[in-house]
Amino acid sequence: MKQGAISSRNDPSDKPPCRGCSSYLMEPYIKCAECGPPPFFLCLQCFTRGFEYKKHQSDHTYEIMTSDFPVLDPSWTAQEEMALLEAVMDCGFGNWQDVANQMCTKTKEECEKHYMKHFINNPLFASTLLNLKQAEEAKTADTAIPFHSADDPPRPTFDSLLSRDMAGYMPARADFIEEFDNYAEWDLRDIDFVEDDSDILHALKMAVVDIYHSRLKERQRRKKIIRDHGLINLRKFQLMERRYPKEVQDLYETMRRFARIVGPVEHDKFIESHALEFELRREIKRLQEYRTAGITNFCSARTYDHLKKTREEERLKRTMLSEVLQYIQDSSACQQWLRRQADIDSGLSPSVPMASNSGRRSAPPLNLTGLPGTEKLNEKEKELCQMVRLVPGAYLEYKSALLNECNKQGGLRLAQARALIKIDVNKTRKIYDFLIREGYITKA
């Protein structure tokens, strides 16, 4: 049993549903450490009942997912730490009353004291926000990101594949097609400094200009994060992220929000060290498996791995055959198919024509009454589940997997959908065509 940190958002709809009752998860909840991907989450009620589903068993090791634990200060939870950082980002450094109002759980003095102690004056952080501001202001006085290259920079056309891969970045101009706070300049378009302005009016105009400068600095700060962490080419960044094992990818996703604080090099060192730790643990587990099996040299270990792989392939074939046979209701058609395959394997032309399925009675639509997850479907999705005879919980799981993959890749092919969803290919095709038709995903 382990304890893990999750997102600090309080909205339960941001979290995946419970696999047992399909209800929204509230902290704390349970994550199976042996099942996945996708991750297998359970609420405490289903966990205490010993809920089991497919490969998930009630005796699997598990993690308690909660953010109710201290990180930097015993009186501050991880959830409050993230809420503080988000509030400072939203309200601005120094606006402690607004930060406290957004936090709701801490006073103005507590927010200021904690932030200054742990995020500004903390000697453990080599790169603090103030140090970054003071050290980089002179070096990056211009708002443009320089393009260091001896070759002519690429100039992708608008809305092309390369332009989308580069997130709209234009290297020749060191700029984005659409900037952060893209309409910040609109507040200055009607301001005109004249000699007969009163002192109050002049001060108000100067305050507007100062606000505009602060918005430009925030735009520059975000550009620097994108440049330093190599996020301009998002597809390349995603491919680099996928080289890690699934467990390290989960850690990468959790720690990504801290990357803007510790810097790119320190962040990469942290992830790489955990990837190395994971590899070492996996290697130790493999060696322990060899020792349990009585293997004392690597020559025997290679033979053991080969035989283990062969056994797994045979078991998979038997499982696939049993799954196919349970759907075959016409014994005569099955025999004809077997004889036809025997003729093909022996080099002869098929002597027995395949029986037509046109006379077979189709299965009736699935009754969704009382099935978990039905209330989350719209009418068209209910009709789809009835026609393909798919329970709502499974459909929602498949839909989520396809949407996530489509968002990562920028599009999805049918072959990729079939690789993600290990069910009947005809059902996969119907789900894929439905999601394309309804606009949930796009073709690659």
Side-chain angles (χ1 to χ4, degrees), residues 151-166:
D151 301 327
D152 189 45
R155 293 176 171 84
T157 58
F158 175 71
D159 205 28
S160 63
L161 180 60
L162 180 58
S163 177
R164 291 195 297 269
D165 286 345
M166 298 176 65

Side-chain angles (χ1 to χ4, degrees), residues 367-375 392:
N367 184 8
L368 302 182
T369 304
L371 293 180
T374 304
E375 69 280 357

